[in-house]
Amino acid sequence: MIGVLVGCSAGATDREYVIPQALCGVPTDVDVLSKLLPSGNEVDVQERNPTPHRKRCQVNVDGSVALIASQEWWEDGDGIDVVADAFPQVESAQLTDDSTSLHTGTGALKKVEACDKVGYSGYTLFTAIQVYARGVDDSVAVEKLIGDYTSGVEASATCR
């Protein structure tokens, strides 16, 4: 029995870093995020804004990209299927019945419904989660994280 308990908890002891409580200012459920990050010693969270229409939060574990959370403004009329082509981690994703989000075990994309930022007339905001950590594939955690992340973005200065 002791051998079984040790074997089951081995993954938890492989993580020497603290799970981030936010993804670049957007509060995060630590329990959900922990399911999508690999074992390792160090975590580094970096905000990258390559264009005014794109904001990315990159989570690195031991120097390797583990997860990227994105906020991207796309032209009105661009459907989620068009936007999905820009995110390799959502290939073969399942579209929700209302056609506002899709997800897999390694990525998700969601249209932000409650966001009409001044200065972005003619654009629609989408959020994305992309998991790059090897061996991580958890569609339930990805779906929960994209929902929470999108709600956090709606409540942030991005949408006010």
Side-chain angles (χ1 to χ4, degrees):
M1 183 71 153
I2 293 173
V4 171
L5 292 175
V6 171
C8 290
S9 64
T13 60
D14 291 343
R15 188 176 288 138
E16 299 294 326
Y17 60 87
V18 176
I19 303 296
Q21 294 183 353
L23 293 172
C24 299
V26 178
T28 304
D29 182 330
V30 174
D31 292 333
V32 173
L33 186 57
S34 72
K35 294 175 183 177
L36 301 173
L37 295 178
S39 60
N41 296 314
E42 294 181 28
V43 66
D44 180 37
V45 180
Q46 302 172 352
E47 185 172 319
R48 300 180 186 277
N49 302 315
T51 71
H53 291 268
R54 184 176 299 143
K55 179 179 180 180
R56 291 195 174 149
C57 185
Q58 182 172 310
V59 181
N60 298 323
V61 175
D62 293 342
S64 296
V65 178
L67 183 139
I68 296 175
S70 304
Q71 303 169 34
E72 298 197 13
W73 293 92
W74 285 71
E75 289 185 14
D76 285 348
D78 286 340
I80 199 161
D81 55 333
V82 171
V83 177
D85 287 341
F87 296 93
Q89 298 308 96
V90 298
E91 285 182 13
S92 72
Q94 298 176 14
L95 187 62
T96 57
D97 291 339
D98 64 2
S99 299
T100 61
S101 67
L102 49 83
H103 71 279
T104 68
T106 58
L109 183 62
K110 188 166 181 69
K111 180 179 179 182
V112 182
E113 297 288 341
C115 192
D116 193 19
K117 179 79 172 188
V118 174
Y120 285 92
S121 177
Y123 292 90
T124 301
L125 183 63
F126 288 86
T127 54
I129 299 294
Q130 297 180 87
V131 180
Y132 291 95
R134 295 178 80 189
V136 176
D137 189 334
D138 187 333
S139 63
V140 173
V142 168
E143 184 177 21
K144 175 80 170 116
L145 184 59
I146 193 69
D148 292 349
Y149 184 72
T150 302
S151 294
V153 170
E154 288 173 336
S156 75
T158 299
C159 288
R160 289 188 256 144

